[in-house]
Amino acid sequence: MDHLERLENRSIHLLREAYSCIPNLAMLWSIGKDSTALLHLARKAFFGHVPFPLIHIDTNYKIPEMTAYRDRLALEWKLTMIVGRNDAALAQKRTFPDGAVDRITCCRLLKTQALKDVLSGQGLRLKLNHSTGGYEPDPSREPYTGVIAGIRADEEGSRSKERYFSPRDTESRWDLGDQPPEFWDQYKTDFAPGTHVRIHPLLDWREVDVWEYIDREAVPTVSLYYDQGEGRRYRSLGCHPCTSPVESTARTPKEIVAELRTGKFKDIAERSGRAQDLEDRGTLEELRRDGYM
Amino acid sequence: MAVEKGRESLRVVMAGHVDHGKTSLVGRLLADTLSLPKGKLEQVKAFCERNARPFEYAFLIDALKDEQSQGITIDVARIFFKTTARDYLLLDAPGHVEFLKSMVSGAAHASAALLVVDAEEGVRENTQRHGTMLSMLGIRHVAVVVNKMDRVSFREDRFLAISEEISAFLRRLGLEPASVIPISAREGSNITARSELLPWYDGPTVLEALDRFPAEPPLEKLPLRLPVQDVYRFTALGDQRRIIAGTIASGILRLGDEVVFYPSGKSSRVATIEGFPKPPVGAARAGAAVGFTLREQVYVRRGELAVKRGQTPPQTSSRLRASVFWLGKAPLEPGRDYVLKLGTARVPARVESVQRVIDTSTLRVLEGRGRVERHEAAECVLAMSAAIAFDRAEDNVLTGRFVIVDGTEIRGGGLVLESLPDAGSRQRERVILRNIKWQKGLVPREQREARFAQKAALVMVSGRDDGLRKAAARALEEELYRQGRLVYFLGIGSLLYGVGADIRGTAENHEEDFRRFSEVAHILMDSGMILVSTAAELSQADWDIVCNAVEPDRAVAVWVGQKGGREESTNLKPDLLVCAQDKAGVVAQVVALLRAKGILSA
């Protein structure tokens, strides 16, 4: 068993533990490469099926290719697709692109708040109708008690402290000083009412592992990751006002792997194109304590 | 930081007393092996300058604000790093006693450890605690690093004194240190290259010691152990396969293998080892998260352990002796309810007795204390509410270790020393043998059940009001028959003078009567039938006999009328307590329960 196979088997085991032990489970799908690789792992774990809904938080500022790609795969793979959005903040133009708030507050409103609301069932839940291809309000208001997310430990400092099964309190907060011990493949699967758990099957993966896996398994990924002839591509995907492409001529997962291993990105952090990380040291950790993915 | 295919990888935990420099050593290892992202070192140095703090290598790792303000690592950080020989995942465990539980989390993922000792301070309380924990967690490969040699002028006599003390301590725990290395993380001595400041030392550097740790053991050479994680039937999604899913803990699973599931003893042959999107494969090995289908359907569920017929069977019992460590603020003690999780099995458990307690810092043995306090280790006898399958830790550590849940939190863990006999041992052995020898026909039970939109079950109606209980049981049979179900009223009295004729008039035949009743029920349930029966003031002990013989999740105990009164009849934990005054009310509630449990559909 090689390194990638070991990572793959462990992730599948974690996905199955979550499915067997956590009622009302959902999985976050940001459309990015990590959560798309995770989606592929889920289809492997459940032999072609994804037996829980996928949640996408739409900030309205996502790059348009991302939504088109999301809906294409959701229809093709028969996914239960739920979209959450903070319509109040968008209507009141309380966003960074509108010039009303800073980047961090914008993330907090459009991502963290929208996510909290879709999880609790108190906010907007739009569900993909497979016969029309359109989205309709989801009548279910049942809170999700478990959320699978594709974060990796090597992304940045606070994520390296995460657990595979990471409890969140009733306010979605993360108490870093009092995390449950995790050992011998046993995870926290008992919860007090009102709390929920984040499950992180990709915690041990690195950026290059994800790309190698995408290459090996031919996982379809959004075209934004690849140079379309202009010598630029996205290394990390987010909202267009806060995410910049990098100079690169990589056109395939293989070329990206080469770039990460021996090429220009060998020693450069992945999220260096994410503006919100640079505003203040420790920002992402603060967002995460508050419920950010 | 790229990983080459097929390279070995090893998980190593950093252990030691607070402030002895574990995190600094990790920072130094990363910096000296050029494993840091470009600009990271400069970024952290600039941050220290801005905040008027002297730079320390530990800050590279302690990336969180909290940690830098408190000056201690809060939790286990995972750090990737590689040498020319292989890849490493370093688990940087905290040194402070408050965070011992995190150390346990970190150590539990590792197979080797670096134990860091301060040359100036020497062996301290947490050095010993961590050493004891490493031994209890089954980590066999430990290298000791004596840090801060610069503070003791690189003196050999100081190093030798510490080396002797820690080696003697570890040997008492059954751990032989692979090497003891004098280093200075601050000066970079003996980390990746030998230092001129330590001319008297001719052992390995830290990097060399890491590369000398043996690779993780080949689990596929052990007997097959596959804890059943779940059974999937995604019929709603148009898939008729019945797939048993789980991760192979040890051994190899092959197409056509005869597998036996414990504790039930049910067996069948592997028909396919499923794959997606790839086609099915012929074999899968330890570490693989697999799904397989069976030739003849048998009904197994999460928590059972699949093994290969002909290989060493696992232990099966509801009692075991274990070495346990405890992290909870409230002590581990008899009389309280816990949950034990071993593999995928999950079962209510109690502490039957605490045999001896070990103070993890002094290794002093405390006899007769009767409870285990936080951060202590102990030998205990644990009694579970049902039998599970496991191995002794020395035979197979993956199926020989468990965690203990107190309330909603994992508060401790343990290694199985031995299986102990329990009240159901004899019956369970018979049931396992019966299941192994069971002869299957060509019509699967599932097909028979589908014809009647039901699942085979046994509904036992009990209670103090004889008239109501008997009337309700018969009315329930009638109602289910009216609904078109395959149902039969099986009175215990119907068995006593036929099936039980040979034991009439002998003493103590009560348990044997229940066992025979349960075996007849088992045969009828295998035909897909729902059985209704009734027993006056059923005790939990009698019900356990029934649940040992039939599938326990298909056995439904109903108590009619008020509970309370005589202790022996009220220790039953029924699935349903009905307070209805008439039989119609009882029947309605039982039917609702059977629907909720999925026994009745349509």
Side-chain angles (χ1 to χ4, degrees):
Chain A
M1 201 175 278
D2 69 16
H3 176 69
L4 271 190
E5 285 169 328
R6 259 198 294 270
L7 288 174
E8 177 186 60
N9 280 297
R10 174 154 196 83
S11 299
I12 289 176
H13 179 82
L14 289 163
L15 283 165
R16 289 177 176 168
E17 279 301 281
Y19 178 62
S20 296
C21 302
I22 311 289
N24 276 334
L25 187 66
M27 183 158 110
L28 298 182
W29 186 25
S30 73
I31 322 302
K33 62 183 191 314
D34 298 316
S35 55
T36 305
L38 188 55
L39 175 56
H40 179 79
L41 284 161
R43 295 180 79 222
K44 272 198 143 172
F46 306 107
F47 306 97
H49 311 291
V50 182
F52 35 75
L54 291 163
I55 296 176
H56 181 225
I57 300 303
D58 190 353
T59 59
N60 239 22
Y61 290 102
K62 293 289 177 192
I63 307 165
E65 281 94 327
M66 294 170 71
T67 0
Y69 159 88
R70 173 192 76 197
D71 292 346
R72 182 172 63 77
L73 282 195
L75 290 171
E76 190 182 320
W77 290 348
K78 301 185 170 53
L79 308 174
T80 306
M81 190 72 227
I82 303 283
V83 169
R85 201 170 53 209
N86 187 347
D87 278 347
L90 289 168
Q92 296 160 18
K93 299 200 177 297
R94 287 162 62 213
T95 73
F96 170 73
D98 286 313
V101 298
D102 61 15
R103 293 181 200 271
I104 303 304
T105 309
C106 187
C107 270
R108 196 165 271 152
L109 289 169
L110 296 189
K111 293 184 182 173
T112 313
Q113 194 57 47
L115 175 64
K116 281 185 191 175
D117 289 348
V118 83
L119 294 182
S120 68
Q122 284 159 13
L124 182 68
R125 278 184 189 172
L126 293 169
K127 189 176 180 182
L128 178 64
N129 179 331
H130 280 257
S131 47
T132 64
Y135 283 84
E136 295 160 2
D138 182 7
S140 166
R141 294 265 159 219
E142 191 92 347
Y144 293 111
T145 51
V147 188
I148 304 168
I151 64 155
R152 308 190 323 265
D154 77 331
E155 283 177 282
E156 44 79 44
S158 71
R159 290 184 180 179
S160 79
K161 315 279 168 161
E162 268 289 8
R163 293 280 194 259
Y164 298 109
F165 279 58
S166 178
R168 293 293 190 274
D169 69 11
T170 45
E171 301 296 316
S172 289
R173 278 181 310 232
W174 180 34
D175 186 355
L176 212 126
D178 186 30
Q179 295 204 71
E182 262 184 353
F183 49 101
W184 300 341
D185 277 333
Q186 298 291 355
Y187 310 98
K188 179 174 163 64
T189 51
D190 298 278
F191 298 94
T195 60
H196 77 273
V197 59
R198 300 274 175 95
I199 299 113
H200 301 133
L202 292 186
L203 211 53
D204 292 340
W205 294 57
R206 288 167 291 171
E207 187 186 9
V208 67
D209 298 326
V210 173
W211 280 115
E212 269 202 348
Y213 189 69
I214 286 170
D215 178 44
R216 185 190 285 188
E217 298 283 313
V219 179
T221 37
V222 67
S223 60
L224 297 162
Y225 282 117
Y226 311 102
D227 174 31
Q228 306 294 325
E230 293 170 359
R232 298 188 313 160
R233 66 178 192 85
Y234 286 90
R235 188 173 172 196
S236 169
L237 290 180
C239 302
H240 61 78
C242 294
T243 313
S244 339
V246 292
E247 303 283 320
S248 159
T249 53
R251 283 161 307 166
T252 62
K254 247 189 197 62
E255 288 177 9
I256 292 177
V257 170
E259 209 176 54
L260 289 171
R261 272 193 176 163
T262 52
K264 58 182 294 189
F265 292 131
K266 190 170 173 242
D267 300 311
I268 297 176
E270 178 187 358
R271 291 178 66 97
S272 49
R274 294 285 201 109
Q276 74 266 36
D277 290 18
L278 302 175
E279 281 201 346
D280 174 39
R281 196 173 175 282
T283 287
L284 198 53
E285 187 199 333
E286 273 172 16
L287 278 173
R288 287 180 51 71
R289 280 175 191 265
D290 197 38
Y292 184 72
M293 10 345 182
Chain B
M1 288 298 291
V3 179
E4 279 120 62
K5 278 179 194 148
R7 272 171 63 93
E8 257 178 30
S9 66
L10 193 72
R11 290 164 296 181
V12 179
V13 69
M14 307 295 297
H17 197 78
V18 66
D19 288 337
H20 283 195
K22 298 184 306 288
T23 312
S24 290
L25 172 59
V26 175
R28 192 81 210 201
L29 268 172
L30 293 188
D32 289 2
T33 55
L34 309 176
S35 303
L36 290 168
K38 202 175 270 173
K40 185 77 178 173
L41 192 60
E42 292 71 24
Q43 185 197 330
V44 174
K45 281 184 172 164
F47 175 82
C48 289
E49 211 162 281
R50 260 204 320 277
N51 292 276
R53 297 191 62 175
F55 168 77
E56 285 184 30
Y57 278 94
F59 293 162
L60 281 169
I61 311 304
D62 292 351
L64 294 173
K65 280 181 179 174
D66 251 10
E67 294 180 339
Q68 290 182 8
S69 55
Q70 292 179 23
I72 47 173
T73 315
I74 285 191
D75 215 299
V76 176
R78 301 173 177 83
I79 299 113
F80 299 101
F81 130 91
K82 70 171 198 168
T83 68
T84 48
R86 60 186 169 204
D87 300 318
Y88 288 95
L89 175 55
L90 290 182
L91 299 150
D92 182 18
H96 199 283
V97 64
E98 294 308 313
F99 301 121
L100 189 64
K101 69 171 187 189
S102 304
M103 203 285 301
V104 172
S105 298
H109 290 118
S111 57
L114 284 178
L115 182 58
V116 181
V117 188
D118 187 317
E120 221 173 10
E121 291 198 0
V123 174
R124 296 287 297 274
E125 189 188 12
N126 266 5
T127 320
Q128 299 188 331
R129 274 188 209 267
H130 286 196
T132 309
M133 288 291 171
L134 294 175
S135 127
M136 291 199 66
L137 292 166
I139 293 172
R140 289 281 160 262
H141 307 290
V142 181
V144 178
V145 175
V146 181
N147 188 22
K148 306 192 190 177
M149 285 301 293
D150 50 313
R151 299 262 189 92
V152 296
S153 316
F154 298 97
R155 268 165 40 217
E156 185 178 13
D157 61 333
R158 182 66 191 142
F159 169 74
L160 287 175
I162 291 175
S163 169
E164 213 160 281
E165 186 185 359
I166 188 72
S167 301
F169 175 79
L170 291 175
R171 275 185 207 117
R172 271 192 285 150
L173 297 168
L175 286 169
E176 183 66 38
S179 42
V180 186
I181 314 163
I183 68 152
S184 163
R186 187 185 295 266
E187 304 298 325
S189 319
N190 276 348
I191 313 257
T192 53
R194 223 159 287 280
S195 168
E196 288 169 12
L197 297 166
L198 297 153
W200 42 265
Y201 175 74
D202 58 3
T205 61
V206 174
L207 210 57
E208 288 165 343
L210 284 173
D211 283 345
R212 284 184 194 178
F213 282 135
E216 295 179 15
L219 292 168
E220 61 184 57
K221 297 252 193 301
L222 293 171
L224 176 71
R225 294 292 186 262
L226 199 172
V228 174
Q229 219 171 350
D230 215 333
V231 181
Y232 300 139
R233 269 204 77 182
F234 297 113
T235 37
L237 301 158
D239 190 338
Q240 294 306 315
R241 290 174 296 178
R242 190 161 184 281
I243 301 174
I244 296 165
T247 301
I248 302 177
S250 65
I252 304 177
L253 179 76
R254 288 197 170 84
L255 211 59
D257 274 348
E258 182 161 8
V259 284
V260 185
F261 297 89
Y262 285 89
S264 72
K266 292 176 187 176
S267 66
S268 186
R269 279 184 190 277
V270 177
T272 59
I273 303 175
E274 294 291 321
F276 178 88
K278 294 182 182 106
V281 295
R285 288 154 203 281
V290 298
F292 59 100
T293 64
L294 296 172
R295 273 195 211 161
E296 304 93 13
Q297 294 309 322
V298 292
Y299 297 87
V300 293
R301 44 184 193 148
R302 182 178 164 91
E304 293 215 59
L305 184 64
V307 314
K308 197 176 289 196
R309 178 89 162 258
Q311 292 184 337
T312 318
Q315 313 282 334
T316 310
S317 182
S318 64
R319 284 176 76 233
L320 52 83
R321 194 167 64 84
S323 111
V324 169
F325 59 87
W326 192 243
L327 306 166
K329 281 183 187 147
L332 174 73
E333 57 191 351
R336 295 191 51 208
D337 292 316
Y338 303 97
V339 167
L340 186 142
K341 288 170 53 166
L342 187 151
T344 54
R346 174 197 165 83
V347 60
R350 281 185 165 215
V351 178
E352 189 177 293
S353 65
V354 177
Q355 299 185 316
R356 61 188 183 121
V357 178
I358 303 149
D359 180 324
T360 48
S361 65
T362 61
L363 295 191
R364 218 153 40 89
V365 175
L366 312 165
E367 298 281 2
R369 229 240 329 244
R371 63 175 193 283
V372 191
E373 300 284 355
R374 188 175 209 194
H375 299 152
E376 285 179 344
E379 259 182 50
C380 299
V381 173
L382 300 175
M384 296 158 281
S385 71
I388 58 167
F390 54 87
D391 286 296
R392 292 185 309 170
E394 64 178 283
D395 296 331
N396 190 333
V397 77
L398 291 163
T399 42
R401 61 194 187 185
F402 57 86
V403 298
I404 301 170
V405 178
D406 186 7
T408 60
E409 304 296 328
I410 293 175
R411 297 295 190 199
L415 297 168
V416 178
L417 299 172
E418 63 174 334
S419 169
L420 298 173
D422 61 8
S425 298
R426 192 149 160 270
Q427 186 198 1
R428 206 167 41 244
E429 274 165 33
R430 283 176 169 171
V431 167
I432 287 170
L433 187 62
R434 169 254 274 169
N435 283 348
I436 288 174
K437 300 288 181 190
W438 196 262
Q439 299 191 335
K440 300 178 190 78
L442 290 176
V443 185
R445 187 180 80 186
E446 208 161 47
Q447 275 182 27
R448 295 177 192 274
E449 292 177 329
R451 176 174 287 180
F452 302 100
Q454 70 184 39
K455 283 185 174 147
L458 168 65
V459 183
M460 178 65 84
V461 182
S462 188
R464 208 159 283 130
D465 180 339
D466 275 352
L468 179 59
R469 137 181 98 75
K470 285 179 181 166
R474 289 192 167 89
L476 178 64
E477 184 209 22
E478 197 176 28
E479 166 61 20
L480 293 177
Y481 180 79
R482 197 193 54 75
Q483 288 182 10
R485 317 284 177 178
L486 182 64
V487 60
Y488 184 68
F489 177 83
L490 181 68
I492 294 177
S494 312
L495 289 133
L496 298 181
Y497 298 94
V499 171
D502 58 320
I503 53 166
R504 285 279 67 73
T506 62
E508 294 185 29
N509 54 20
H510 178 77
E511 279 175 27
E512 181 60 15
D513 281 334
F514 258 92
R515 192 191 71 79
R516 292 186 187 194
F517 165 80
S518 310
E519 286 298 328
V520 172
H522 175 76
I523 293 171
L524 294 173
M525 284 165 75
D526 194 51
S527 75
M529 193 178 283
I530 294 175
L531 298 172
V532 181
S533 191
T534 174
E537 304 192 32
L538 183 69
S539 72
Q540 188 63 42
D542 290 342
W543 188 235
D544 283 344
I545 294 174
V546 177
C547 291
N548 279 337
V550 305
E551 283 160 47
D553 54 336
R554 299 291 186 89
V556 180
V558 177
W559 187 276
V560 177
Q562 291 296 320
K563 284 220 42 185
R566 289 213 321 276
E567 185 59 31
E568 61 270 28
S569 64
T570 54
N571 66 355
L572 178 76
K573 295 186 197 85
D575 299 86
L576 180 68
L577 197 59
V578 190
C579 292
Q581 297 299 310
D582 57 12
K583 62 182 184 184
V586 177
V587 168
Q589 288 193 46
V590 175
V591 168
L593 174 76
L594 296 180
R595 284 192 190 279
K597 280 180 167 285
I599 287 167
L600 300 179
S601 51

